[in-house]
Amino acid sequence: MGQNNLQELNVIMMAPRGVGKTSLLAAMHEEFDSTFANAGLNTWVDDTVTLDKIIDCKYVLQNIGNRLQGEVTPTDPLQDPWSRDGFIFKVGSGGKPFMQIHFHDPSGEYYKPAATTAQKEYVKEQLRDCDAVVIAVDATALMEKKTGRVSSGEVGPWHQEVNDPDRVTLLLKDAYTHITKPRLIVFVPIKCETYMRNPADANSLVDHIQLGYSN
């Protein structure tokens, strides 16, 4: 249970540095109110450092290509990973919250072999304890090669470097060795508009995600 005896759902955002975890959170945050309102639910957002970063990120994303050019700054690593609150929002009805959803958005540096012991332990603990894992996937790195779109049965040559699926697999296997309850793992392609123009393209993207993370 979370604050004030609210049911709590913990989610960790997972991807190497620069793939776009915070941008993904910003896009999700943009849709929260309308999505939950359609189900007759209210949402409340806690004021955290991560929320400030999400708001800055949304401003950049909304203005890219419209005179203002910008780049989303990757989340900085911390010597004490536990000191960042993450992104917290509450869900309820009738003006009363009943659930708290806590997104943990660690720096992509934590997933590297050169990460500090504390950073590696933080990732392992969050993967072990969180109810869900959202893995951001750079679709361009997965779907493109120097000569254009990849064919079926192959992934882009930059997939290993950018998305680092082997490292993701290793971390999940290590964290889930002794778990006693199921976990939800969600693969979320970003920069994927080009590959979602019709059902055939979308199905191809799904097939390539399955191929790229087959291990």
Side-chain angles (χ1 to χ4, degrees):
M1 303 293 283
Q3 298 175 6
N4 302 319
N5 294 322
L6 297 179
Q7 181 180 355
E8 185 168 74
L9 179 70
N10 282 282
V11 182
I12 181 172
M13 310 296 292
M14 185 179 189
R17 185 172 176 85
V19 167
K21 299 186 301 301
T22 305
S23 298
L24 175 58
L25 263 179
M28 293 168 63
H29 178 259
E30 185 72 13
E31 301 297 328
F32 280 157
D33 287 345
S34 59
T35 299
F36 283 96
N38 288 338
L41 299 172
N42 311 121
T43 60
W44 299 262
V45 179
D46 280 9
D47 187 11
T48 65
V49 172
T50 300
L51 176 59
D52 292 340
K53 187 171 179 61
I54 285 173
I55 292 172
D56 291 343
C57 177
K58 286 168 65 174
Y59 179 76
V60 172
L61 293 175
Q62 289 166 355
N63 288 281
I64 285 177
N66 182 23
R67 289 191 178 182
L68 174 65
Q69 298 296 318
E71 182 175 319
V72 176
T73 304
T75 302
D76 292 329
L78 301 172
Q79 286 302 115
D80 180 11
W82 287 269
S83 64
R84 180 176 281 125
D85 291 331
F87 174 56
I88 303 168
F89 77 100
K90 297 179 178 68
V91 180
S93 60
K96 184 178 181 180
F98 59 76
M99 173 182 283
Q100 172 172 289
I101 304 180
H102 190 167
F103 286 91
H104 303 267
D105 180 29
S107 167
E109 294 289 343
Y110 298 177
Y111 298 107
K112 292 183 177 181
T116 67
T117 300
Q119 292 165 351
K120 290 179 180 178
E121 186 57 34
Y122 174 83
V123 168
K124 184 174 182 179
E125 180 179 302
Q126 294 296 343
L127 286 174
R128 185 182 66 238
D129 295 343
C130 281
D131 306 285
V133 181
V134 173
I135 300 174
V137 180
D138 186 313
T140 303
L142 178 70
M143 298 294 291
E144 297 291 336
K145 56 185 178 182
K146 290 182 178 180
T147 55
R149 186 83 58 91
V150 296
S151 61
S152 61
E154 65 175 350
V155 297
W158 300 285
H159 173 57
Q160 284 290 339
E161 177 182 352
V162 175
N163 292 315
D164 202 357
D166 292 340
R167 184 72 181 164
V168 169
T169 301
L170 179 64
L171 291 170
L172 287 173
K173 285 183 175 180
D174 185 38
Y176 288 170
T177 301
H178 300 295
I179 61 170
T180 57
K181 64 178 182 179
R183 298 293 193 278
L184 175 66
I185 300 178
V186 185
F187 291 91
V188 182
I190 59 176
K191 308 172 190 174
C192 62
E193 292 82 358
T194 301
Y195 317 109
M196 298 288 290
R197 290 177 175 171
N198 56 61
D201 282 348
N203 287 333
S204 176
L205 176 58
V206 172
D207 290 342
H208 281 89
I209 291 173
Q210 292 176 336
L211 178 65
Y213 292 88
S214 58
N215 286 338

